[in-house]
Amino acid sequence: MKLKGWKDLTPGSVILEGGNAVQFKTGSWRAFRPVWKKENCIHCLFCWIYCPDMAVNVKDGKMMDFNYDYCKGCGICALECPGKKGQTAIEMVEEGK
Amino acid sequence: MAKVVAVTGNEACANALRQVNPDVCGVYPITPQTDMMQKYASYVSNGKVDTEIILVESEHSSMSACIGAAAAGGRVVTATSSQGLALMWEMLHIASGDRLPIIMPVVNRALSAPLNIHGDHSDAMGARDTGWVQLWSENAQDAYDNTIQAFRIGEHMDIRLPVMVCLDGFIISHSIERMEYLEDEEVKGFVGEYKNFLPLLDLDKPKSYGPLILPDLFHEYKKAQHEVMLKVKDVVLKVAADFEKLSGRKYGLFESYRLDDADIALVILNSAAGTTTDIVDGFRARGIKAGLLKPRLFRPFPYDEVAEALGKVKAVCVMDRSDSFGGYGPVFMEISSALYPLQERPVLINRIYGLGGRDYLPEHGEAVLNELDEIAKGGKVEKYKEYIGVRE
């Protein structure tokens, strides 16, 4: 991609394109990875609501999987996950293990 | 039709803001700005303006509120002094970096410590590098006229930058002077309807302000910011020409007084320039060719024009009402930079005067002009930088 020169920039560094954070993948920062245990998931979607980015894929009101392109491994989803009968549906696993 | 009034500098600025009737005004009181915003708040309370006034908990919040309102798409004003301007410091850079044309009278006052409420230029000079346009004002008339012109300059579609209008604390802000107001309709017509540029509240076109810009683009954004500053000079002159048609009062990038054939000259900002014109007249009456240059547009600084105006003078003293401790005064640094490229240039000295509201008296200017007269005749420069009017 050719980078813009100073004459081509929008004044005030305003971003004119809504929702373009999708172009900025931040998953490589992650040290811990959330792993979904489907059998313990009650599809409450707390993980989707609490995720500060867009790392939880949901379809038709159901948790589908994680999108690791945007997951920074903050662990909020794992903390909030109520699981099923005390068994968590999201476990944080160290990357590279 | 102009209306002749007797008002303070603060009242004059508040009235200019009333006549413009901006959308939003962030307010936090600080001496000596306080009664400007108090006056403006009473205009709001009495229904004289439609402005939404935001009473905030600090100047940092005031500038933050102004930035938000300006990004949303409003015409936005505030005013401050001294520690208030200092507290705004990080937000000042954001206002200019986001290219938001916020208009702000700055009633110049010394910075602590020691605590002092009186006039000097250390506050606005400390904001020199924040990317704001700075207009300086000798008296209440200048402050009023500059405030009105600031809207046209900052809001110009080629510019879109915030503008500070500087006036001396107490000496101008609290002294009653004779001056002329324009009619409300004349001011409204002059500044025109506010034109949006990339407003956040345009919901059909969602956008984001204040993104993270990494090393691959940041340098380019700063170059673009420098380049837009270089366009300001022409806009200032065009706006001044329009303003002269309306008011009959002439403004430029700076004001020259008896400078054309001068052998010696003072460069001095704001209220002290008034006293200095009298001193210059006194020297002229004695056959000594003295002159004065009073900067008006300090950022961006008109280097070429100042060099042209001062180039043939034999000896110049730049008078600074603030100091860069361990360095030269801030105005001196600009004049020195302006004159350096010339093949032949004046001898240049720097004198610091009037800090923390210390009176600038005719004998101070006279002593400096006498010193310059000796230097112009081949005398030795004893000290390039020195404080004047100071007790040993």
Side-chain angles (χ1 to χ4, degrees), chain B residues 77-287:
Chain B
V77 301
T78 183
T80 195
S81 291
S82 183
Q83 308 304 121
L85 187 64
L87 188 54
M88 283 179 182
W89 194 76
E90 69 165 334
M91 305 316 294
L92 295 176
H93 288 261
I94 292 171
S96 62
D98 284 354
R99 304 279 300 275
L100 303 170
I102 298 162
I103 306 304
M104 176 166 68
V106 172
V107 186
N108 299 121
R109 162 186 153 184
L111 286 172
S112 288
L115 179 62
N116 177 290
I117 57 166
H118 291 277
D120 77 27
H121 302 155
S122 48
D123 51 3
M125 286 300 169
R128 180 190 67 182
D129 301 338
T130 56
W132 283 56
V133 175
Q134 285 191 348
L135 295 172
W136 292 70
S137 323
E138 180 183 325
N139 48 37
Q141 186 76 65
D142 274 13
Y144 171 81
D145 292 348
N146 280 339
T147 302
I148 291 166
Q149 290 175 71
F151 287 90
R152 282 275 301 273
I153 297 163
E155 293 172 5
H156 193 285
M157 279 298 168
D158 293 344
I159 305 293
R160 306 304 286 192
L161 283 171
V163 185
M164 272 176 214
V165 175
C166 302
L167 58 150
D168 283 351
F170 289 108
I171 301 167
I172 300 306
S173 68
H174 285 63
S175 303
I176 294 175
E177 287 177 54
R178 177 217 178 270
M179 60 164 286
E180 292 179 12
Y181 280 157
L182 296 166
E183 293 294 336
D184 290 1
E185 290 312 312
E186 290 176 320
V187 174
K188 281 183 177 51
F190 183 78
V191 298
E193 282 283 312
Y194 184 67
K195 290 191 182 66
N196 274 319
F197 184 69
L198 306 178
L200 275 175
L201 285 183
D202 180 1
L203 299 183
D204 296 330
K205 292 178 190 158
K207 52 186 82 69
S208 298
Y209 271 76
L212 171 72
I213 300 291
L214 292 170
D216 59 348
L217 270 178
F218 189 86
H219 205 55
E220 281 68 28
Y221 273 109
K222 292 295 130 178
K223 164 74 173 166
Q225 203 176 338
H226 171 66
E227 289 293 327
V228 77
M229 267 296 212
L230 299 183
K231 294 184 192 171
V232 170
K233 216 164 59 178
D234 287 344
V235 172
V236 166
L237 290 174
K238 277 183 200 139
V239 171
D242 285 353
F243 191 78
E244 190 184 355
K245 279 181 216 152
L246 179 68
S247 67
R249 291 186 292 276
K250 193 174 171 60
Y251 287 90
L253 304 173
F254 52 84
E255 192 177 321
S256 298
Y257 184 72
R258 307 189 85 164
L259 202 54
D260 287 345
D261 64 339
D263 291 327
I264 57 174
L266 298 181
V267 177
I268 198 159
L269 278 172
N270 276 17
S271 63
T275 311
T276 306
T277 54
D278 271 352
I279 305 169
V280 165
D281 288 345
F283 274 72
R284 286 278 177 171
R286 284 160 44 199

